[in-house]
Amino acid sequence: LQWQWKERVIPYWRETAKFAREHGVHRIALEMHPNFVVYNPRTLVKLREAVGEEIGANNDLSHLFWQQCDAVEVIRFLGKQGAIYHAHMKDTAFFPRNVERFGVLNFGENDPEASEFFRAVGYGHGASTWKDIIAAYMEVGYNGMLSIENEDPILEGEVGVQRSLAVLKNVREEIMTNHPNPG
């Protein structure tokens, strides 16, 4: 692992960040995903510290839910460093019996023994979790896009997006009603 980071990962991304800088690109948003080199906030920050501030997160919380991360803590951690460049709004639903038997890396769409799969916003975690997530983004001063990404195997494209949007609009409205200046 040390060899991979030192000899391959860091040199590749240093060169890529330099190339980006030279061409006026100052933000490269990496999606933290299990089985990737950058798979969680810690590995993202490790790469960012080695390469530069061009590296930041496409903060897809579904991948972090999958790893049992606390979404609000992730947002605060990355937000404090100015490392959130984009945000995907997507949820993850778990099947506890399969998690207990096979662990969280047992991912598989349309697999009855999968431990989890991606869902539309609100179909894995309730509205109160999403309210806390939106409030955390506001708290850290993130004012970029909240992009709905639908990979829900049950709710087809437009339906999944519409339902995600409804949840997000409702929680945002509740935040703004109860705390007009949340961040």
Side-chain angles (χ1 to χ4, degrees):
L1 183 62
Q2 290 176 2
W3 176 88
Q4 180 186 29
W5 274 85
K6 183 179 176 190
E7 301 298 326
R8 295 290 187 245
V9 175
I10 291 172
Y12 172 84
W13 283 105
R14 275 194 181 134
E15 201 56 38
T16 300
K18 179 183 175 205
F19 179 83
R21 250 187 326 273
E22 290 169 352
H23 291 85
V25 175
H26 301 286
R27 288 182 165 202
I28 301 170
L30 301 179
E31 196 165 313
M32 299 168 281
H33 192 291
N35 300 321
F36 287 4
V37 171
V38 172
Y39 60 90
N40 67 12
R42 189 173 179 198
T43 55
L44 180 94
V45 168
K46 177 180 178 179
L47 184 62
R48 181 180 168 91
E49 288 173 350
V51 172
E53 290 185 3
E54 286 79 15
I55 302 298
N58 171 9
N59 205 32
D60 185 332
L61 296 174
S62 68
H63 302 158
L64 300 166
F65 288 142
W66 178 6
Q67 297 177 69
Q68 305 293 303
C69 294
D70 180 309
V72 170
E73 291 303 315
V74 167
I75 293 165
R76 287 178 178 153
F77 175 74
L78 294 174
K80 199 178 286 184
Q81 299 176 54
I84 301 173
Y85 292 167
H86 189 71
H88 276 170
M89 302 286 101
K90 185 173 69 185
D91 213 336
T92 304
F94 292 90
F95 304 100
R97 179 159 163 67
N98 292 344
V99 170
E100 291 167 0
R101 289 187 298 169
F102 307 122
V104 297
L105 294 179
N106 179 47
F107 188 82
E109 215 173 282
N110 299 320
D111 176 358
E113 292 194 324
S115 297
E116 64 279 316
F117 60 79
F118 298 134
R119 294 298 318 265
V121 171
Y123 286 79
H125 295 80
S128 65
T129 297
W130 286 96
K131 178 182 169 188
D132 293 344
I133 288 167
I134 298 302
Y137 276 124
M138 295 167 92
E139 173 189 317
V140 301
Y142 176 75
N143 58 11
M145 182 77 59
L146 298 176
S147 176
I148 295 171
E149 181 183 31
N150 186 45
E151 293 183 40
D152 192 312
I154 298 170
L155 300 173
E156 291 191 18
E158 197 170 321
V159 174
V161 171
Q162 288 171 345
R163 292 195 182 171
S164 293
L165 185 58
V167 170
L168 294 170
K169 280 184 173 180
N170 287 337
V171 299
R172 184 183 183 282
E173 185 176 311
E174 187 177 332
I175 290 168
M176 298 310 290
T177 300
N178 295 325
H179 307 283
N181 296 313

